[in-house]
Amino acid sequence: MKLSLKWLAEYVELGSSIEDLAHRLTMAGLEIEGITKQGDGLRGVVVAQIVASEKHPNADKLSVTKIDDGSGKPLQVVCGAKNYKVGDKVPLATVGAELPGGMKIGKAQMRGVDSAGMLCSAKELGLPEGEHGLLILDPNLKLGMPIADALGINDVIFEVNVTPNRSDALSHLGIAREVATLLGVALKRPEARLRESSTEASTKIEIRIEDAERCWRYCGRVVEGVKVQPSPKWMQERLRSCGVRAINNLVDVTNYVMLEYGQPLHAFDLDRIGGAQIVVRTAKAGEKLKTLDEKDRPLHAEDLLICDATSPLVLAGVMGGASSEVTDQTTRVLLECATFQPTTVRRSAKRHALHNESSHRFERGTDV
């Protein structure tokens, strides 16, 4: 499991030494198999501003820019991108920097014009690609600021080997509780704030558990008036640091809570649930489910399913189905929080070769 120390520090004081913390956790049975310092690959890359730009005299596709990196000495950098304007702040890889892909930056001549450094795209910084061309930065950032600090990617990531009997440690709060005990410091739990209407969720959706042996608890919340859009940048970065791809605000927040509390959640488009019913049952003969990876999966009689009035919607604890997934048109959500029998989830995940962050936690047991 990937553990963000920046995130962890919100819940507990970590002490002064990363190495000491790694040693203490390893000795407590949570082996730290690797430590990644995100900012190390971006040393020498800073926030800079394009103060002038003109066409390259010998190349139609290049421009010659004048750059202010906050040092007081203007720099000349040749650039091939076209998506910037004078006044934009962009990442500058200074002379001597080495980018995540291994490219070393030095002084160069490009078609007869001197160039001191390189203006960078998201891809060149090893970040998820956005728009083509230079990465345009927040205009309020301070010139000369290290780009890792500017983008919030100065985290330290622990790769934690969590043994199967430690399901309590498959979350940031779970490991924060361990650290609090090891260091003798207080645990700062996040405060939950709930805003709800007077309308009961049961008037919008009926939930029925038909197999209580395999499903120990199933709760649902209805959230209306939602708008699907990108998550805040800080949330996207936290997910990315932990190896989870950002998708949209509704999906991302379920993954965020899973990484925080160790409890997987699932968001349904409420308007795509047939008969306004959720039925938790095992599969019937001949039933199939198209999962989110667009594969039609024949179901086994022991597969536990989350269904609507007529059809399977989710392979419980493992993967959602395409028929009820959140889309850009979603305005009403049913949010699921459930506890499933670990052996049932483990067998379904193995049967369908679907091991993921959700099944990994359910297989080991979540806290009712």
Side-chain angles (χ1 to χ4, degrees), residues 44 46-53 63-78 91-95 105 107 113-119 144:
V46 300
V47 175
Q49 187 171 35
I50 301 171
V51 295
S53 178
S63 300
V64 181
T65 65
K66 290 290 187 289
I67 303 297
D68 181 2
D69 66 350
S71 66
K73 182 180 179 181
L75 299 172
Q76 178 172 281
V77 179
V78 176
L92 169 69
T94 58
V95 173
I105 307 301
K107 290 183 178 181
V113 175
D114 291 337
S115 182
M118 186 176 83
L119 305 183

Side-chain angles (χ1 to χ4, degrees), residues 60-344:
D60 291 339
K61 294 184 178 181
L62 297 177
S63 300
V64 181
T65 65
K66 290 290 187 289
I67 303 297
D68 181 2
D69 66 350
S71 66
K73 182 180 179 181
L75 299 172
Q76 178 172 281
V77 179
V78 176
C79 177
K82 302 295 182 185
N83 67 315
Y84 66 86
K85 63 183 184 297
V86 172
D88 281 343
K89 290 184 179 178
V90 297
L92 169 69
T94 58
V95 173
E98 182 174 346
L99 297 180
M103 180 185 295
K104 295 181 179 180
I105 307 301
K107 290 183 178 181
Q109 270 206 348
M110 300 185 71
R111 296 290 186 93
V113 175
D114 291 337
S115 182
M118 186 176 83
L119 305 183
C120 300
S121 66
K123 183 178 181 181
E124 287 160 342
L125 298 178
L127 304 175
E129 291 189 60
E131 297 179 2
H132 292 295
L134 300 183
L135 177 61
I136 307 300
L137 301 173
D138 184 334
N140 297 315
L141 291 173
K142 184 180 178 181
L143 294 178
M145 184 181 189
I147 200 67
D149 294 340
L151 298 178
I153 49 177
N154 50 357
D155 204 352
V156 177
I157 307 300
F158 279 1
E159 187 72 40
V160 190
N161 180 12
V162 181
T163 53
N165 64 319
R166 291 300 308 272
S167 60
D168 62 294
L170 287 171
S171 67
H172 282 73
L173 268 173
I175 292 186
R177 185 169 53 239
E178 191 80 10
V179 171
T181 301
L182 291 172
L183 301 183
V185 295
L187 177 66
K188 297 174 285 186
R189 293 182 179 275
E191 292 184 12
R193 296 183 300 276
L194 180 64
R195 188 178 69 192
E196 57 184 343
S197 73
S198 59
T199 304
E200 295 287 339
S202 57
T203 65
K204 308 282 186 177
I205 188 81
E206 176 192 350
I207 295 175
R208 187 169 73 252
I209 300 174
E210 292 188 352
D211 193 328
E213 182 182 348
R214 291 180 172 87
C215 177
W216 298 341
R217 190 169 188 258
Y218 192 102
C219 298
R221 277 275 184 184
V222 171
V223 188
E224 297 182 310
V226 302
K227 182 180 179 181
V228 178
Q229 56 192 7
S231 298
K233 291 293 185 184
W234 65 264
M235 180 176 284
Q236 293 186 37
E237 182 54 39
R238 283 198 173 177
L239 293 176
R240 190 185 71 83
S241 295
C242 295
V244 177
R245 180 171 63 93
I247 298 173
N248 60 50
N249 53 344
L250 301 187
V251 175
D252 292 353
V253 75
T254 63
N255 286 328
Y256 185 90
V257 170
M258 176 183 69
L259 295 173
E260 183 178 40
Y261 282 92
Q263 172 65 56
L265 304 176
H266 185 72
F268 297 87
D269 185 324
L270 183 59
D271 293 314
R272 301 175 74 187
I273 298 175
Q277 291 182 37
I278 288 290
V279 183
V280 187
R281 61 170 174 82
T282 49
K284 298 176 183 177
E287 280 191 311
K288 293 183 178 181
L289 172 65
K290 178 179 278 189
T291 44
L292 289 173
D293 56 5
E294 294 297 318
K295 292 184 179 180
D296 285 307
R297 299 183 181 275
L299 298 170
H300 188 276
E302 292 187 0
D303 284 332
L304 185 66
L305 305 175
I306 314 302
C307 308
D308 63 14
T310 60
S311 308
L313 302 178
V314 172
L315 186 59
V318 181
M319 184 175 282
S323 66
S324 60
E325 68 175 316
V326 167
T327 70
D328 291 344
Q329 287 71 49
T330 298
T331 59
R332 301 198 307 155
V333 165
L334 173 68
L335 186 63
E336 165 198 296
C337 181
T339 309
F340 303 115
Q341 182 188 53
T343 52
T344 293

